[in-house]
Amino acid sequence: MKSRPSWWIPESEMTPESTYLKRRELLRGLGFIGASQLLSGAIGDWAADATEASTSGASASVRESGSSRSQSVEARRYPRAKKYDLQDPERPITEERLVTSHNNFYEFSLQKSEVAGLAKKWTPPSPWKIQVAGLVDQPMELDLEDIMKRVKLEERVYRFRCVEAWSMVVPWGGFQLRDLVQICRPKPAAKFVKFVTYQDERAMPNIKGMPHYPWPYTEGLSLAEAQHELTFMATAIYGKNLPQQNGAPLRLVVPWKYGFKSIKSIHRIEFTDTQPKTLWVSLAPQEYGFLANVNPEVDHPRWTQKRETRLDGSFFPKKIPTLMFNGYANEVATLYKGVDLKKNY
Ligand code: MTE
């Protein structure tokens, strides 16, 4: 029998594509999809929430998340969690309120607790377009909604480890980056993928506040890393649309790397044959390198990486040992054969 990887979530706990499509069909049948897109008003929202209540009983959580009307309507297009893997003592899920209020999104603020409030004032453009450029058969502009019709939507519960030594466990919704790479059709010469965050200087006050930063926020992966089955493009958390502070409407999640690799609000993807220059490598390569694999044996120059503080909302949160590759060594170690992991940065 094929053994299950450590990150595996039972099929029964994912939103099957058929359920997602059925719900969408039902909404369309009742005239809500289309009307809500055109009007983006209270009626569309109310109607969608009411329909959701009758199909999944989850309208309360939708209402809570519906800080903006368009977000509430769009939530229907994203994978919805029915139930999380709460029984697993190894990885109890972090409370949603912590994950959505303790954020790093430097374009808004360096203060974690300030990010959510500031980011909520930013309305991501809709439709959300993603430019695809570089070593591809054909440069193109993709629409997120179209991408989502072409990929397999699923939910993944992953550990998340920030380089600053705090961590959490998050139920992400979205799809494998591998599927998107396929849609982009990179040329054989492509070896790396570069990601760029949407930049809106008026809505993101810290861009001007930190003019010495090489904005826009840019990150990258090798093509092999990008095509690994764990590498995920998130559009949702806790069964709801990603809120702005967590990288709406589309962010990267690479669970075996430090959190700064998980770039938010991606609007450009470029395929290259050389390692892309990322924001952090430009600023401080000795502290935040390109590889950035979680490694308890390689300390940050200013603090240990042996342990991490798991967010739990208490004054004295628990410290737990950090695991090699954040606990995903079985799945990803083969990507780094021959690489000196002591020179992780
Ligand atoms: N993406 C952008 N565009 N800007 C950022 O400042 N911070 C990174 C990463 N992605 C960041 C970003 C860092 S340092 C971390 S730890 C994670 O986002 C935090 O994600 P979270 O706020 O959803 O927990």
Side-chain angles (χ1 to χ4, degrees):
M1 208 172 101
K2 197 169 176 271
S3 66
R4 287 166 179 158
S6 56
W7 55 268
W8 183 83
I9 309 166
E11 200 82 44
S12 61
E13 298 192 11
M14 298 175 190
T15 303
E17 207 174 12
S18 58
T19 310
Y20 158 78
L21 291 173
K22 260 189 233 148
R23 188 178 292 131
R24 199 177 156 81
E25 278 315 301
L26 179 59
L27 285 169
R28 185 178 283 120
L30 292 171
F32 294 143
I33 288 183
S36 58
Q37 280 163 354
L38 282 174
L39 299 171
S40 76
I43 294 175
D45 277 351
W46 171 83
D49 278 356
T51 311
E52 190 64 29
S54 65
T55 54
S56 79
S59 69
S61 60
V62 169
R63 262 185 249 281
E64 270 167 35
S65 74
S67 56
S68 78
R69 283 176 180 143
S70 59
Q71 186 174 0
S72 160
V73 172
E74 282 179 8
R76 251 118 246 106
R77 301 184 192 128
Y78 296 150
R80 178 168 297 281
K82 293 275 188 239
K83 188 173 118 204
Y84 304 122
D85 195 2
L86 290 166
Q87 307 314 317
D88 183 349
E90 293 299 316
R91 42 170 205 178
I93 288 175
T94 306
E95 269 183 79
E96 180 181 354
R97 70 179 172 89
L98 300 175
V99 174
T100 55
S101 64
H102 177 97
N103 300 102
N104 276 338
F105 203 157
Y106 279 17
E107 289 88 329
F108 290 99
S109 171
L110 300 191
Q111 302 303 319
K112 291 175 181 34
S113 58
E114 267 182 23
V115 170
L118 291 165
K120 288 255 183 292
K121 295 183 195 154
W122 171 55
T123 306
S126 180
W128 185 263
K129 303 283 187 186
I130 298 149
Q131 297 158 17
V132 177
L135 296 170
V136 285
D137 286 347
Q138 180 76 54
M140 55 185 131
E141 189 175 68
L142 295 170
D143 182 322
L144 179 58
E145 297 297 324
D146 292 336
I147 294 172
M148 296 193 59
K149 288 177 201 148
R150 297 168 67 183
V151 295
K152 180 170 173 275
L153 299 175
E154 43 181 315
E155 182 171 274
R156 299 247 178 123
V157 177
Y158 280 159
R159 288 178 289 276
F160 185 94
R161 168 63 155 82
C162 177
V163 73
E164 298 161 341
W166 54 269
S167 67
M168 54 192 187
V169 178
V170 185
W172 304 99
F175 52 91
Q176 287 189 32
L177 173 58
R178 184 196 269 180
D179 293 351
L180 179 54
V181 168
Q182 217 168 27
I183 294 173
C184 297
R185 286 186 282 121
K187 290 185 168 162
K191 299 282 176 284
F192 294 91
V193 193
K194 172 176 160 185
F195 305 89
V196 184
T197 293
Y198 186 85
Q199 187 162 308
D200 180 340
E201 288 181 14
R202 271 180 304 173
M204 301 173 171
N206 206 36
I207 293 178
K208 280 204 172 128
M210 303 198 63
H212 56 292
Y213 269 45
W215 306 110
Y217 197 101
T218 301
E219 259 307 334
L221 295 173
S222 72
L223 191 57
E225 291 171 330
Q227 289 180 307
H228 191 279
E229 65 173 329
L230 288 189
T231 310
F232 204 59
M233 295 300 271
T235 55
I237 44 174
Y238 300 89
K240 304 168 192 168
N241 267 18
L242 266 185
Q244 287 93 320
Q245 64 269 30
N246 294 96
L250 181 72
R251 74 174 286 172
L252 182 66
V253 182
V254 196
W256 71 94
K257 291 182 179 281
Y258 290 120
F260 66 85
K261 298 296 286 184
S262 294
I263 180 170
K264 297 178 172 181
S265 308
I266 296 166
H267 93 117
R268 182 179 167 88
I269 298 179
E270 207 177 307
F271 292 83
T272 62
D273 53 3
T274 51
Q275 187 173 298
K277 195 91 171 154
T278 65
L279 178 136
W280 290 114
V281 168
S282 306
L283 274 175
Q286 71 291 359
E287 299 195 13
Y288 313 108
F290 185 82
L291 259 191
N293 291 324
V294 175
N295 187 345
E297 300 306 317
V298 179
D299 284 343
H300 185 276
R302 289 180 280 134
W303 57 83
T304 176
Q305 294 292 26
K306 286 199 178 359
R307 294 189 308 153
E308 65 200 51
T309 302
R310 183 57 58 84
L311 296 188
D312 65 8
S314 67
F315 274 123
F316 301 105
K318 224 169 74 182
K319 286 209 174 195
I320 55 173
T322 288
L323 303 172
M324 187 65 205
F325 292 115
N326 202 22
Y328 298 100
N330 285 345
E331 290 81 25
V332 302
T334 51
L335 285 173
Y336 306 102
K337 270 196 185 132
V339 174
D340 182 356
L341 294 171
K342 295 271 182 202
K343 293 197 182 123
N344 204 18
Y345 283 93

